[in-house]
Amino acid sequence: MVSGNGEANSNRSFGLDDLPKISGMATLLNAPYQENLENTDIALIGVPFDGGVVFRPGARFGPAEVRNKSGMIGRMNHQTKIEPFGRCRIRDVGDVSLESIYHLESAVDEIEQYFLRIVSQGVLPVSVGGDHSISYPILKAVGSKEPVGLIHFDAHCDTGDAAYNSKFHHGGPFKNAVEAGVLDPTRTIQIGIRGTAEKNWAFSYASGMQVLHIEDFKKIGIEGTIEQIRRTVGDGPTYLSFDVDCLDPAYAPGTGTPEVGGMTSFEAQQVLRGLGGLSLVGADLVEVAPTYDQSGITALLGANLVFEQACLLAQSF
Amino acid sequence: MVSGNGEANSNRSFGLDDLPKISGMATLLNAPYQENLENTDIALIGVPFDGGVVFRPGARFGPAEVRNKSGMIGRMNHQTKIEPFGRCRIRDVGDVSLESIYHLESAVDEIEQYFLRIVSQGVLPVSVGGDHSISYPILKAVGSKEPVGLIHFDAHCDTGDAAYNSKFHHGGPFKNAVEAGVLDPTRTIQIGIRGTAEKNWAFSYASGMQVLHIEDFKKIGIEGTIEQIRRTVGDGPTYLSFDVDCLDPAYAPGTGTPEVGGMTSFEAQQVLRGLGGLSLVGADLVEVAPTYDQSGITALLGANLVFEQACLLAQSF
Amino acid sequence: MVSGNGEANSNRSFGLDDLPKISGMATLLNAPYQENLENTDIALIGVPFDGGVVFRPGARFGPAEVRNKSGMIGRMNHQTKIEPFGRCRIRDVGDVSLESIYHLESAVDEIEQYFLRIVSQGVLPVSVGGDHSISYPILKAVGSKEPVGLIHFDAHCDTGDAAYNSKFHHGGPFKNAVEAGVLDPTRTIQIGIRGTAEKNWAFSYASGMQVLHIEDFKKIGIEGTIEQIRRTVGDGPTYLSFDVDCLDPAYAPGTGTPEVGGMTSFEAQQVLRGLGGLSLVGADLVEVAPTYDQSGITALLGANLVFEQACLLAQSF
Amino acid sequence: MVSGNGEANSNRSFGLDDLPKISGMATLLNAPYQENLENTDIALIGVPFDGGVVFRPGARFGPAEVRNKSGMIGRMNHQTKIEPFGRCRIRDVGDVSLESIYHLESAVDEIEQYFLRIVSQGVLPVSVGGDHSISYPILKAVGSKEPVGLIHFDAHCDTGDAAYNSKFHHGGPFKNAVEAGVLDPTRTIQIGIRGTAEKNWAFSYASGMQVLHIEDFKKIGIEGTIEQIRRTVGDGPTYLSFDVDCLDPAYAPGTGTPEVGGMTSFEAQQVLRGLGGLSLVGADLVEVAPTYDQSGITALLGANLVFEQACLLAQSF
Amino acid sequence: MVSGNGEANSNRSFGLDDLPKISGMATLLNAPYQENLENTDIALIGVPFDGGVVFRPGARFGPAEVRNKSGMIGRMNHQTKIEPFGRCRIRDVGDVSLESIYHLESAVDEIEQYFLRIVSQGVLPVSVGGDHSISYPILKAVGSKEPVGLIHFDAHCDTGDAAYNSKFHHGGPFKNAVEAGVLDPTRTIQIGIRGTAEKNWAFSYASGMQVLHIEDFKKIGIEGTIEQIRRTVGDGPTYLSFDVDCLDPAYAPGTGTPEVGGMTSFEAQQVLRGLGGLSLVGADLVEVAPTYDQSGITALLGANLVFEQACLLAQSF
Amino acid sequence: MVSGNGEANSNRSFGLDDLPKISGMATLLNAPYQENLENTDIALIGVPFDGGVVFRPGARFGPAEVRNKSGMIGRMNHQTKIEPFGRCRIRDVGDVSLESIYHLESAVDEIEQYFLRIVSQGVLPVSVGGDHSISYPILKAVGSKEPVGLIHFDAHCDTGDAAYNSKFHHGGPFKNAVEAGVLDPTRTIQIGIRGTAEKNWAFSYASGMQVLHIEDFKKIGIEGTIEQIRRTVGDGPTYLSFDVDCLDPAYAPGTGTPEVGGMTSFEAQQVLRGLGGLSLVGADLVEVAPTYDQSGITALLGANLVFEQACLLAQSF
C-alpha cells in the first residue's frame, strides 16, 4: 500500500500538523493508494474518460490533475470540524481503465460494470471525471436496487436528447438515468442552471425535477437552497453530482463548456457544508479539463470539492 | 451566404436542440455571415482597431476571438426567454476594414463613415471592438440626427482630455461625443467606475453625467441600478456601451487596462436583463484583448454580453 | 462568396503588396470561402475530428486555429517563386460536418463519403485535421480507382493494430489503407520516424514500406531524402500526409503525441520544396492541437505547411 | 534620483492627468526611486525572499512584478479621495539584498537588521514580499520598542509550529512574533481564515488572537469587520499584513498556497478603506508568486493593495 | 546612480563571481542606470514604441521584459572572452519617452531627435525596441553625417512601400533610410530572409542590397556568412539591426510576425561573434513582444543578443 | 505493488503493443512503483528539492511532472533496439522525503544518506531532480568507495565557489565532489558549456576537467564527442549527470537558468545513444522546472532523457 498522508499522518515527523505534500505519489485527497477494495469504506476513483463531450475534450486528464492538486489539501474541514480520514477508511483505488474508448455505449457499459462491483461490496464511491457522461453508468450502479434521488450542481441540466446519433453524451446522463429507472426525478434538484441552451432541458421540467436557476439560487440564498435541497431529496438514498462548470469561469476556467454568470467557490462550499446527514450513496466531481486551466485553480477547486464530498459521506460512519 | 446556426437551426439534424458549434466558420453569435446589409435588422460588426490605447494593445483581435467563442452560445436567454434570432434578422456583416491605422484621426473618420452607412439603412449596429476609441465615431453616426442617451458600463469614465497630442484615444470618447453634440450628458449614466485615475474624469461631473461608482452600485444593488438607469436615459434614443473592464479582472483578465474591485459576470447579466423596453439605437462591447486572456474566459464573456445586447435590441422587433 | 486576399488581392488598396490580414473572416491560406465546389481546382477542407486519438485530444480545433494563423501567410513561396493562387482556383470550402462523432467507424464512413464527393468532381483536396485517423477515409476516396503512393511525414508510422477494440484510431490509418487496397505500400515512404513505440510498426516493414528514421534522415540529408522519396513514389498518383509531430516539440508543441528528437521547420520546408512535379492527388496536415500550443507557433507552422502543400499541388495547373 | 510619476507629476506634459506608464523604469506605485532614506516618510521596499515556503516557491519575484504592474496605478483613491503622494514623501528604496539565502535563520536575521535601520530613522515601511516568513523579522523591527497590534488578512493563521526542523517558515511568523514579545496577540485579528489545515493554528486561539473565518466575515459583512478590527487593535501601534491568498484563487491565482472560497478584491478594498485613522506603523503585501500568475491579475491586485496601504499610512501625515 | 552589477561588481560580496540577479531594479545587461549621458561610451536605450506594426502589437513592452531577463546575463562572452563592462562605460539610460504615439510620423520624428542627441555626444547607441519602425529614425541620426552600411538580421527585408497610408510602418524602415540618404544600400546585407511576402521587397534588389535568404545562409554556413557580411560592409561606418524574428519561432515565439523556417540561436550568436573589428556606429534589437512569449525565452534571447551587440561595440574601446 | 506498464505489459489487452497511458498512477517510465528496494536492479528516484537554486526555483516539482509525462514513453529505443524493462528489474521507488529543507547542508546530508542506502544494496540509481545541488550528495554515495568519472551535460560547469554563504548551491556540486574525493576530475568531461558566467568555472580548468563548449561540440560533432567522452572516462566507474539546460531554451524552456545557444534534443539523444558499454554507476536528470514549462515539452524531454539513461544502465544486465 502506497502511503498518503491521509491516514497515517506521515507528515507529523516533519513538525507542522498539516503540511502541503511536496514529495511522494499524488493520490486523491492524499489518501492511501491501493488497487483493491480491502478495508475501504469510501473509494476515491478516477474516471479518465471524455468520450462523451460535445465541444472541448480534455476532462480525461481530470483525475490526474486533481490528484496533483490534492497535495494542497489537509485533513480537517475548518467550518464543520469534520475530519473524514478520522471517521472512516478512505482509499484512492485508482482509475477505471476502459477497454473501449471509441464507442460511447461500450465505455458506458464498462463504467457501469466497474461501479456495480464497488457498490456490491458496500463501498461508497466518490468519482472524479472525466466528462458528465460518466454519471449515467454510475447511477445505474448506485440505483440498481432502487431509484435514487439527486443533488446536481451544474450550469446545464444535462437532460438533453440524443445528439450526433447517441444519447449517451455528456449533455444527457440524467434523462438516461430516469429512463433507465435508476433516478427518481421527483427527488432530483438541479442547482446553478443558466445559459443559452435552455431549450435542451425540457425533460427536466416534464419529468418533475426541481430546476434552481442561478438567479433563483442568488435570490433564495445559501440557507434557502439548503432547505430546498433537503425538502426535495428527503431521507431516501441520494446521489450527489457536481459539474465544476456550475461555478463561474472566473473560478473554474478549466472545463469544457464554461458558462458565465455562475456560482462562486464560497457559495458552493457553503451549500455543500449544509448537506450533512443526508443518505448519500455516492458522489462525483466532473468536467475538470486541465488543458484549459492555465493557472491550475480549477483542479485545486476540484480537489477541495472532492474533500467536501468526502466530509459529507464520512458523516455516515 | 455562409450559414451560422443562428437562423437556419442547421444543427437540429444532429439531435440536441442547441449544440456548441464544432465545425464551420466562426461568426458572431453564430449568425449568418454576409458582406452586405440585405435583409438585416441587426448588424453584428467587428471593429478590429486598437490604435487608441494608452497602455496595452491587442484589442484589435477582439472580434476574431469573440467569434471563436460564439460557438458556445445558444439561442435562448434562459431568464428572459428572449430568442433574438426568432424576433428579427441578425447578421454578422464582417469587420470594418480601415485604410488608415497609423493616424488616429483618420481611423476615427473611417469608422464614422462606415457606421453612417449602417445607420442610414435603418440597421441597428452591435459592434465588437477594438478599443473604446471606436465608440466616439459610432456615436457620431447613431447620434447624427439627435443626441442620444448613453448607458455606459466601464471601470473608467473615458471622458478624459487629450493625451499624447490627441483627444481621440480610448480614454476620451464620451467627452468627444458630448463636444460633438451627438451625446446628451444629462441622459448618460456610467456604471462600475473605480480606480486611481479619478482626476481624469472631471468632465463627467461637469457635464452632468451620472457616475455610479462600483461601491454605489454594490450599495443600491441590481434593482436600484436598473431603476437609476431607466430614470436617467428615459424614453429617448439610447446607446449602450460596454467596456469589458467594467468586470473584475478575475472575470475579464483579457483586457488592456484591467481594474481590480469590479463587477461580477452575474451582476452584469442581471443589470442588462433588466433594461428591456428602452429605445436602444445600438450597442458595443469593447476592450477584449485576447493576448491577455490565457484561459479564454474574457472572450467567452464578451460573446455572452453581445448575446445580451442582441436580446435587448431584438425586443423592439 | 466571402473574399479572402488570396485571389482578389483585396489588400492592394492598402498599399504594401502582401499584408498580414487584420480584419475579416479567417480562411485557410486566406482563400475565398464558399460552401460548394464551383470553380475550384484545389479545395482546402477542415476536418475537425479527433475521435481517434489514443492520448491527448484537441485536434478538432486544428482547422479553426490554422485558419486564424493563415492571416500571416502571403502569396509567394520565396524560394520556389510559386504563387499558388496565380496558378489555379483555390477555395476554402469549409469543414466536414459529421453527424456521428461518438462512433469511430461511423465518423470514418462519413469522412469517406465527403471526400468521394470531392474527388468525383476532379477537385484536389488539401485537408487540415483533426487527428491522423482522418487520413484513412481520405485515402479510400483518393485511392478509390487505383492504389496511391504515399509520402508520409511523421514521428510515428501509424501502421498499428487495433487498440481499445477499434482499428480506426489515429495510430493505424496506413495499415487500414493498405488492407483496404487503396494504398500501395511499396510506393510508400515514412519520414522522421522515431520514439519508443517502434514495436507497433511491424506492419510497415512487413508490407514493404520505406521507413526513414529521423537519424537516417539526418544522415542522408535533405537532398538524399528528396531523392529517396522520388525513387519510392515514382510517377504514379501519390498522396502527401504530414503529421505535425514529425517536427520536434520545440517547433510543434501543440500536438497530441509530441516526440522529442524531431525535424526542424526549415528541414521540413526544404524537403517539401524539393517535391515539385510529382503526381499528387491530395494532401493533409494533421494533429495540430491548439490547446497545447500556448505560443501559437504550431498552428502558424501548420498554416505554412498547408501553403507548401498548396504550392506543390498548384504546380500541376 | 530616478523619477517616477508619483511625485513630480511628470506625465502631465502628455496631457491626460493620470496616465498608465509605458516607458521608464518600473517602481512601486511609480514612486521616485532612490537607494537611501533621505526625504522619505514612507519607504516602499521589496523583499525578494521565498526561502520560507513549504510548498510552491516563486514569491521572490513578487517585488519585480508588482513594480511592473504599478505602471497601471494612478494617484488618487477614487473612494476616499486620498492622494498619498500629495500628503507625504513616498519613495521606492529598492530591495533588501540578502547575503544568506540558504539558511532561513540567517535570512531572517538580515531582514530584521534591514528594517531596524528603516524604523530607527522614523520611516514607515511598506514591504512587498516575498513569502510570509518576512513578516516576523519586520515585526521584530517595528515592535522593537513595544509590542504592536496586528491586522492580518490571510487564508491561513500562520501561527504554526516548526516544520522541517525550522520554526521560521512562512506558516509561523505570527507565533514567532508573539514568542519574541513584539506582537500583542490580544490586539491581533486574523481575517479570511479557511481551509483544511485548521489544526495548525491552535496557537492563535491559545494566545488570544481574534480569528475571523471567511464565513464569519461574510456574515458580519464589511462594516461589521471594520468595527471588529477597530475594536481589536484600538489606538495602539498596529501593523498591517496582507497575504494575497486571503483572496479567492479566482482573484489571486498567482500565489504559493491558494485556498478556494476566499474574499473578492472588492471586499478587500472596502475593508482596507475603512481603516483610516489607526496608528499604523507599517504594512506588507506578501505571497505574490508571478510564475503562477499567467494573466498577471495577481500582481496587479498586489499593486492596488499596496496603494491602499500607502493611502492608509499617508493619512498620518 | 542606481547600481547594476555590470560595473561595480556589487555581487562579489555574495561569493560566486557571476550571479544571476535576484534583487534590485532591472536594467539592460545589469548596467548602471542613469538618466543622462555622463561618463557614457555605450548607451543602452529602450524604445517602447510599437505604433508601426502591421499585425500583432505588443513590442512596446519589449524593453521592460529584456531588462527583466537581463538579470540572467553575466559579464564575459565565454567564446570571445570579451568583457564589455571591462572595456568601456556602458549605461542603461532609460527609455525614449514619446509625446506623440498616435501619429506614426510624429513618433518617428521624436525618436530621431532623441538619437541625434545621443550621437552628437559621441555615444554609441544600442537600442531595444519596440517594433522595427524605430530603426529608420535611428538611422537618420547615426547616418546624419554620412550614409552608413547595414548588417540586418531578419525574416523580412523591411524595404516595403507605404501601407495603410503611411510609409513609416515596421515593414519599410530600410527603404525609408535609403531614400533619406542615410543608408548605403550597396553596403547593406540582409540575412535570414524568408516567407511568403517576398513581393514586398523589390526595393532591396533594385537598390543593390545583398539579400541572404535563409536557405543561402544554411548553404554557405556561418563562416561564409561572416565573410560575405565583411565583404559587403567593408571598413565604413556600419549599423547593426537585429529583428528577433530572424530566428525560428521555436527560438523566438514572442514576436509580432514570426516566420517559420528560421535561424537557431546558436547560429545567430556565431555569426555575431564573427563580426569583431567592424566600424559599428550602433545597434538595435527589435520586435520582442512579451505578450506572445509565455515561456519568456524570447526576451531572454533578446537580452543575450544585446549582450553580443555590446561585446561588438565595446571592441572599439 | 502498483503496476505500471513497464514490466507487466498490462496494456497488451488493449490491443496496440505500446500505448500511451491514459489511466492509472503516473510513475517514472511507467515502471512498477514500490516503496522498497526488493527485486530492483535500477531504482528510479525522485529528488524534489530545489533549495540550492541561485535564481528561479521550482525544480522541486520536476519529479512529479516527469512522472506525468512518462505516460508518453514506450518500451523500446527505436535506434538501439534496447528494451530496458526486458533486461533488468526497474522500479520507481518514489521520492526522497527530506526532513530539513530550510538548511542546504542538512538537506545535502539527508540526500547522501538516502543514496548510500541505495548504493549499499547494489542498486543503480537514476534520479530526477530537483536542482543540480543534489548531484553532490549522490556522488558522495556512488563515489564512496572510489572516485568516479563523470559525463556531465550542462550549459554551466557547476564548479563554482561558495555563494550566499554556502558552497552547496546548484552552481557548485562538481567542485564539492572533487574536494570530497569522490569525483576524479581527470575522468570528468563537461559538454555543452556556454554563456556569460565563464569566470565562475575556473576550478574546472584548474582541476583538469575536460570542458567541451557548445561551439566545440558543434565543431567535432556527435561522433567526435562520443569519442572524446569515451577517451576521458575510460573503463572506470562513471556517473552521468544531465542538466536539462544543456539544451537550448527552445527545447527546454522549463528550467531555472536557461541559456540560449544550446544543444538540440536530437543531438542529446544521439550522444547518449553512443555511450553504450561504459561502466555507469548511476545517472541523474536535473533542473526540470515545470512552472516555466507552459507547453510541457521540457518535462516530456526529461522523461525521454531518463529513458535513454535507463537504456544505458540496463546494458550492463
Side-chain angles (χ1 to χ4, degrees), chain F residues 151-174:
Chain F
I151 307 167
H152 173 207
F153 292 82
D154 206 325
H156 317 95
C157 288
D158 290 357
T159 48
D161 293 330
Y164 295 113
N165 291 334
S166 175
K167 67 178 194 177
F168 296 109
H169 57 80
H170 73 154
F174 302 114

Side-chain angles (χ1 to χ4, degrees), chain A residues 4-316:
Chain A
N5 72 1
E7 187 150 308
N9 196 9
S10 62
N11 272 331
R12 193 180 296 274
S13 64
F14 298 125
L16 203 61
D17 201 68
D18 258 323
L19 276 180
K21 209 166 154 247
I22 54 174
S23 70
M25 307 296 287
T27 65
L28 290 166
L29 303 187
N30 307 309
Y33 181 81
Q34 63 188 35
E35 297 196 336
N36 56 56
L37 295 172
E38 284 169 24
N39 297 315
T40 304
D41 297 312
I42 297 175
L44 308 177
I45 302 162
V47 192
F49 176 72
D50 61 10
V53 305
V54 182
F55 195 53
R56 307 196 303 190
R60 72 181 65 179
F61 297 112
E65 199 56 27
V66 174
R67 280 193 181 97
N68 286 340
K69 289 297 186 295
S70 286
M72 302 180 80
I73 305 290
R75 282 169 295 150
M76 182 199 274
N77 190 313
H78 86 267
Q79 191 172 358
T80 63
K81 306 303 178 205
I82 296 172
E83 296 183 77
F85 286 91
R87 286 171 172 261
C88 57
R89 298 165 301 172
I90 305 176
R91 299 289 183 274
D92 182 333
V93 300
D95 288 345
V96 180
S97 183
L98 300 173
E99 297 224 357
S100 294
I101 63 174
Y102 298 126
H103 296 84
L104 190 42
E105 279 80 0
S106 306
V108 160
D109 280 346
E110 288 186 62
I111 296 171
E112 181 186 353
Q113 293 310 312
Y114 180 95
F115 279 89
L116 280 172
R117 188 170 62 86
I118 299 284
V119 168
S120 71
Q121 303 195 27
V123 173
L124 295 181
V126 175
S127 307
V128 177
D131 71 49
H132 223 153
S133 69
I134 68 167
S135 294
Y136 168 56
I138 296 174
L139 281 168
K140 286 188 77 175
V142 299
S144 56
K145 294 206 179 135
E146 60 174 322
V148 296
L150 176 69
I151 307 168
H152 173 208
F153 293 82
D154 205 326
H156 317 96
C157 288
D158 289 358
T159 48
D161 293 332
Y164 295 112
N165 292 334
S166 175
K167 67 178 195 178
F168 296 108
H169 58 81
H170 72 154
F174 302 114
K175 184 182 181 207
N176 297 337
V178 170
E179 292 178 347
V182 295
L183 175 62
D184 180 351
T186 66
R187 292 183 51 236
T188 292
I189 182 164
Q190 304 186 302
I191 306 150
I193 307 304
R194 60 192 187 275
T196 53
E198 181 79 7
K199 286 195 158 182
N200 290 339
W201 318 134
F203 183 82
S204 286
Y205 301 100
S207 64
M209 294 177 177
Q210 293 283 319
V211 177
L212 198 65
H213 285 100
I214 188 70
E215 63 272 19
D216 304 323
F217 166 74
K218 294 279 188 176
K219 187 180 291 174
I220 66 174
I222 288 161
E223 290 309 315
T225 299
I226 291 169
E227 276 173 42
Q228 189 164 342
I229 291 171
R230 290 183 173 280
R231 217 162 37 230
T232 305
V233 301
D235 295 333
T238 300
Y239 188 74
L240 169 59
S241 185
F242 200 113
D243 185 325
V244 78
D245 70 24
C246 181
L247 280 91
D248 195 275
Y251 293 83
T255 193
T257 47
E259 194 73 55
V260 305
M263 219 175 266
T264 70
S265 60
F266 177 78
E267 290 169 342
Q269 287 175 316
Q270 292 303 310
V271 176
L272 287 170
R273 288 175 191 164
L275 300 181
L278 296 176
S279 299
L280 294 177
V281 296
D284 63 47
L285 183 276
V286 298
E287 300 283 359
V288 172
T291 45
Y292 294 96
D293 193 30
Q294 278 82 354
S295 59
I297 63 173
T298 313
L300 175 66
L301 173 66
N304 275 280
L305 293 173
V306 171
F307 181 79
E308 297 291 343
Q309 295 181 338
C311 287
L312 287 175
L313 268 72
Q315 292 188 60
S316 61

Side-chain angles (χ1 to χ4, degrees), chain F residues 217-228:
Chain F
F217 166 73
K218 294 279 189 176
K219 187 179 292 173
I220 66 175
I222 288 160
E223 290 310 314
T225 299
I226 291 169
E227 276 173 42
Q228 189 164 343

Side-chain angles (χ1 to χ4, degrees), chain D residues 50-58 60-61 98-105 163-166 169 291-292 294, chain F residues 50-58 60-61 98-105 163-166 169 291-292 294:
Chain D
D50 59 13
V53 303
V54 181
F55 195 52
R56 307 196 304 190
R60 72 181 65 179
F61 297 111
L98 300 173
E99 298 225 356
S100 293
I101 63 174
Y102 298 126
H103 297 82
L104 190 43
E105 279 80 1
Y164 296 112
N165 293 333
S166 176
H169 57 80
T291 45
Y292 295 96
Q294 277 81 355
Chain F
D50 60 12
V53 306
V54 182
F55 195 52
R56 306 195 304 188
R60 71 181 67 179
F61 297 112
L98 301 172
E99 297 223 357
S100 293
I101 62 174
Y102 299 125
H103 296 84
L104 190 42
E105 279 79 1
Y164 295 113
N165 291 334
S166 175
H169 57 80
T291 46
Y292 295 96
Q294 278 81 355

